[in-house]
């Protein structure tokens, strides 16, 4: 499914009812907040003492434009009122033109002590790049602005995504200083995890070069004809020495996105002196890649525990390259 052609767009699910607010971009605390079980989540929130369940804030607006996609959901660990909780931001999407912020596949990280935000953004059938990047930045900037309200440490934010979502996560982390859009700049991205993500659009080749491909639709036309726009939308083109640490995960047999996309980004980051950990999965997983307990899920937790724990104190120490393929 990721980044292939002909995938039908998914409808945005109906969110929880809210109330009027004089500032639509401010949190709707006590209205969209839900304590306890979320029917879309299941484990780890479906059992246990109610007092130990997370707080879920749904459909929080950002951007001030009132677009139905410009909302985020926030999942907070129990007892986080003291503040200082690291935040993991999930950016959804297989192909930039479908999908939704709900359900979020990494909410299990709340049970590990992380706050999790799942953000929506305008799809490519409504707006071309850089609208998607603008939206992701604006959502994270809004959460960061209200960090004290949520009890989040704005210095410890990691962005995570798979396929198109991983592409946008990498852009948020790497293009923050040079790909200006309409939205506020994001200053405190401490880490990024991109899973099976396209990182250099003009080298995807094959069906991706067609004008009807998701990548072509993202930039407004065929990748080779809209080459300048495609380069601006490629995370590899924005790598610099001040980028945050990265975890790159890729299935060798990933449909639609060649593993070379992550290998090239890993090499580019390392050449720039940026910490990069590459995990190449030789066997396709029957579970979602980032599910709890999978190889990718374990790698993500280890990465978060190491990098975000140090983010507010000192730069992370170099990591040993982790890969199931010694010589990609």
């Amino acid at each position: 499914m990721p980044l292939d052609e002909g995938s039908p767009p998914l409808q945005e699910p109906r969110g929880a009812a809210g109330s009027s607010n004089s500032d639509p971009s401010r949190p709707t605390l006590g209205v969209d907040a839900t304590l306890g079980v979320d029917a879309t989540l299941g484990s780890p929130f479906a059992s246990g003492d109610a007092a130990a369940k997370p707080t879920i804030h749904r459909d929080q607006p950002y951007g001030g434009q009132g677009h139905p996609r410009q909302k985020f959901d926030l999942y907070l660990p129990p007892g986080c009122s003291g503040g200082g909780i690291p935040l993991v931001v999930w950016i959804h999407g297989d192909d930039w033109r479908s999908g939704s912020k709900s359900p979020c596949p990494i909410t299990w990280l709340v049970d590990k002590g992380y706050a999790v935000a799942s953000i929506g953004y305008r799809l490519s059938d409504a707006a071309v790049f850089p609208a998607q990047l603008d939206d992701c930045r604006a959502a994270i900037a809004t959460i960061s602005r209200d960090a004290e309200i949520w009890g989040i440490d704005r210095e410890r934010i990691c962005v995570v995504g798979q396929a198109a979502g991983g592409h946008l996560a990498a852009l948020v982390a790497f293009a923050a200083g040079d790909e200006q859009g309409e939205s506020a700049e994001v200053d405190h991205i401490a880490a990024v995890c991109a899973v099976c993500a396209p990182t250099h659009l003009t080298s995807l080749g094959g069906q991706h070069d067609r004008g009807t491909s998701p990548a072509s639709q993202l930039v407004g036309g065929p990748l080779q004809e809209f080459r300048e726009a495609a380069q601006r939308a490629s995370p590899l083109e924005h790598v610099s020495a001040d980028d945050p640490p990265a975890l790159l995960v890729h299935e060798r047999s990933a449909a639609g996105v060649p593993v070379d996309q992550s290998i090239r980004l890993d090499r580019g980051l390392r050449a720039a002196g940026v910490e990069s950990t590459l995990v190449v999965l030789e066997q396709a997983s029957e579970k979602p890649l980032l599910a709890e307990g999978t190889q990718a899920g374990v790698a993500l937790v280890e990465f978060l525990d190491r990098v975000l724990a140090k983010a507010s104190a000192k730069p992370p120490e170099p990591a040993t390259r982790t890969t199931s393929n010694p010589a990609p």
Side-chain angles (χ1 to χ4, degrees):
M1 178 178 174
L3 297 179
D4 62 358
E5 297 185 41
S7 300
L10 302 180
Q11 294 182 352
E12 178 78 10
R14 297 178 63 183
S19 66
S20 60
N21 192 316
S22 58
D23 182 354
S25 67
R26 301 301 291 181
T28 50
L29 291 172
V31 176
D32 291 339
T34 302
L35 292 174
V37 176
D38 180 337
T40 67
L41 295 178
S43 178
F45 304 148
S47 62
D49 184 2
K53 292 177 180 177
T55 302
I56 306 170
H57 302 275
R58 299 196 179 287
D59 294 328
Q60 300 295 313
Y62 70 86
Q65 300 177 23
H67 192 281
R69 289 276 179 172
Q70 292 176 322
K71 295 179 181 179
F72 64 88
D73 297 335
L74 187 61
Y75 306 82
L76 300 176
C80 68
S81 59
I85 303 297
L87 173 67
V88 181
V89 177
W90 171 256
I91 303 178
H92 76 83
D94 283 335
D95 56 13
W96 304 285
R97 65 185 182 188
S98 64
S100 169
K101 61 181 174 61
S102 179
C104 172
I106 60 169
T107 52
W108 56 272
L109 287 172
V110 176
D111 206 37
K112 307 289 186 184
Y114 292 93
V116 174
S118 183
I119 61 178
Y121 55 87
R122 287 169 290 171
L123 302 179
S124 60
D125 61 350
V128 298
F129 185 84
Q132 296 72 28
L133 176 57
D134 290 342
D135 284 359
C136 292
R137 285 174 172 164
I140 297 170
T142 297
I143 299 170
S144 179
R145 178 196 67 191
D146 298 321
E148 286 77 15
I149 295 175
W150 303 122
I152 290 170
D153 185 349
R154 62 169 56 90
E155 299 289 337
R156 294 193 292 165
I157 298 176
C158 177
V159 284
V160 181
Q162 183 171 335
H167 161 267
L168 292 173
L171 280 174
V172 168
F174 304 149
D178 54 7
E179 182 59 48
Q180 299 293 336
E182 300 174 359
S183 65
E185 197 67 20
V186 180
D187 295 325
H188 303 295
I189 300 300
V192 58
C193 172
V195 180
C196 297
T199 64
H200 193 251
L201 301 189
T202 56
S203 65
L204 282 168
Q207 65 179 1
H208 299 286
D209 288 340
R210 299 175 184 172
T212 56
S213 74
S216 293
Q217 290 181 341
L218 175 71
V219 301
L223 293 178
Q224 300 305 323
E225 295 180 25
F226 286 68
R227 193 174 184 85
E228 183 177 349
Q231 295 288 76
R232 290 198 306 270
S234 296
L236 183 58
E237 294 293 322
H238 300 280
V239 168
S240 61
D242 58 353
D243 287 336
L247 170 64
L248 308 177
V249 180
H250 216 113
E251 285 185 317
R252 188 170 296 280
S253 59
V257 182
V259 66
D260 182 64
Q261 291 283 300
S262 287
I263 293 174
R264 291 183 64 181
L265 180 57
D266 174 66
R267 290 172 177 166
L269 289 167
R270 289 173 173 272
V274 178
E275 177 191 343
S276 178
T277 302
L278 174 65
V279 178
V280 176
L281 305 176
E282 298 292 349
Q283 300 294 328
S285 174
E286 295 182 358
K287 298 180 179 180
L289 283 180
L290 290 177
E292 184 176 11
T294 62
Q295 184 177 348
V298 170
L300 176 59
V301 172
E302 293 176 349
F303 176 71
L304 294 173
D305 287 348
R306 176 174 53 81
V307 176
L308 292 192
K310 300 177 181 179
S312 59
K314 61 180 180 179
E317 299 173 358
T320 302
R321 181 189 183 105
T322 303
T323 175
S324 59
N325 178 27

